[in-house]
Amino acid sequence: MSTSRDLSTLGIAITGGARGIGLATATRLARAGARVVVGDRDVEVAARATADLDVEVLPLDVADPASWRSFAESAGPVDVLVNNAGIMPVGPVVQEPDEVTRAILDVNLLGVITGTKTIAPGMVRRGRGHIVNVASGVGRVAVPNGATYAASKFGVVGFTEATRGELAPYGVDVSMVLPSVVQTELAAGVSQARFVKPVTADDVAAAIEAVIRRPRPETWVPRWTQGMVRATQLLPRRAQEAISRVFHADAILTGADAAARADYERRVRP
């Protein structure tokens, strides 16, 4: 699309809008004039966070298909769905409780799939729409101590690529945004890769806004990391591992500060 979309003409639904990237995105889009509907399990937190915005807050558990159906009925026509909700418990996979594994996949991957299956049919009927999936750089380059999280984000990447081809004939765009480590509660105690400038929630929100205005298949935050990752993946495995060590990417999650993450881990673990 060559021309920029007028956000004031769009109804935009954002999952996980009570905090972090979701809240920053809701703030940006609401202030740009869009009709914004935020879905979150923590309705009271979302309502307080968006109190000064013209935003509708609805209950939504992305892991529950019935909750999605109720959300869709209350939200009205959705022109753009931002599948943002996600959790990131970290630790060695062999020590990961089964219920944590299921929670990560239910929220991060099945939440995106179910949300798309619920909202996209209305877009197809209207002959237009846009789905923006917030994945992660870890969805292209996995790191230790985040195996299930990486699996969920790799799944989001694959699902996005496939649905883009399926929905394009009906006038529905499908995009994904892949941030590096973002300074939000989800990344508490997680160090940034060496030489990579810290990324804020608003940085990612700005990228999401830009993608909604002019749809594109894949956007990285920061943008230059996409070229670096693509070039690195053409190299032999040993060279890739050496570069990972130089950037300290291999230690991003293994070196996470457990004390700094304690409150977050308690909140998101079943």
Side-chain angles (χ1 to χ4, degrees):
M1 180 175 289
S2 59
T3 58
S4 177
R5 285 173 171 163
D6 179 0
L7 297 186
S8 67
T9 67
L10 301 177
I12 303 176
I14 304 168
T15 69
R19 303 173 176 87
I21 294 170
L23 176 57
T25 302
T27 301
R28 271 188 165 268
L29 299 181
R31 289 176 176 169
R35 180 179 67 84
V36 175
V37 181
V38 163
D40 204 288
R41 287 187 300 183
D42 295 329
V43 176
E44 292 183 2
V45 174
R48 288 196 299 271
T50 60
D52 63 339
L53 301 171
D54 185 11
V55 168
E56 182 177 7
V57 176
L58 296 173
L60 175 62
D61 179 353
V62 298
D64 181 0
S67 182
W68 265 112
R69 290 192 293 272
S70 177
F71 176 82
E73 290 173 2
S74 299
V78 174
D79 299 298
V80 182
L81 170 63
V82 181
N83 280 313
N84 163 75
I87 59 173
M88 190 179 74
V90 302
V93 69
V94 295
Q95 298 174 17
E96 183 176 274
D98 290 342
E99 58 269 23
V100 172
T101 302
R102 285 192 295 271
I104 295 170
L105 295 175
D106 281 349
V107 174
N108 295 3
L109 179 55
L110 290 178
V112 171
I113 294 173
T114 305
T116 300
K117 290 167 64 176
T118 304
I119 302 298
M123 296 178 175
V124 169
R125 286 193 297 270
R126 293 189 296 273
R128 66 184 186 280
H130 191 184
I131 297 171
V132 180
N133 297 327
V134 180
S136 168
V138 176
R140 291 287 195 191
V141 182
V143 295
N145 267 33
T148 304
Y149 179 76
S152 72
K153 293 302 186 178
F154 267 74
V156 170
V157 169
F159 181 75
T160 304
E161 299 281 16
T163 53
R164 181 181 305 118
E166 290 185 24
L167 297 177
Y170 301 100
V172 179
D173 295 300
V174 182
S175 305
M176 60 183 165
V177 176
L178 291 82
S180 63
V181 177
V182 184
Q183 294 175 320
T184 64
E185 184 190 20
L186 180 145
V190 175
S191 61
Q192 190 76 32
R194 183 185 287 175
F195 311 125
V196 178
K197 181 182 177 182
V199 173
T200 67
D202 189 61
D203 291 333
V204 184
I208 293 171
E209 179 183 349
V211 167
I212 292 172
R213 289 185 182 277
R214 286 191 171 89
R216 52 184 294 167
E218 183 173 343
T219 298
W220 286 61
V221 187
R223 183 170 290 186
W224 65 267
T225 54
Q226 180 176 6
M228 183 193 70
V229 168
R230 284 183 174 175
T232 301
Q233 290 181 331
L234 296 175
L235 300 174
R237 173 64 64 175
R238 286 187 178 180
Q240 292 182 38
E241 292 172 350
I243 292 171
S244 179
R245 289 192 294 273
V246 169
F247 280 85
H248 285 183
D250 58 332
I252 286 176
L253 296 183
T254 56
D257 184 336
R261 290 190 60 75
D263 288 345
Y264 173 77
E265 294 277 348
R266 278 193 294 269
R267 183 169 68 78
V268 300
R269 285 175 179 262

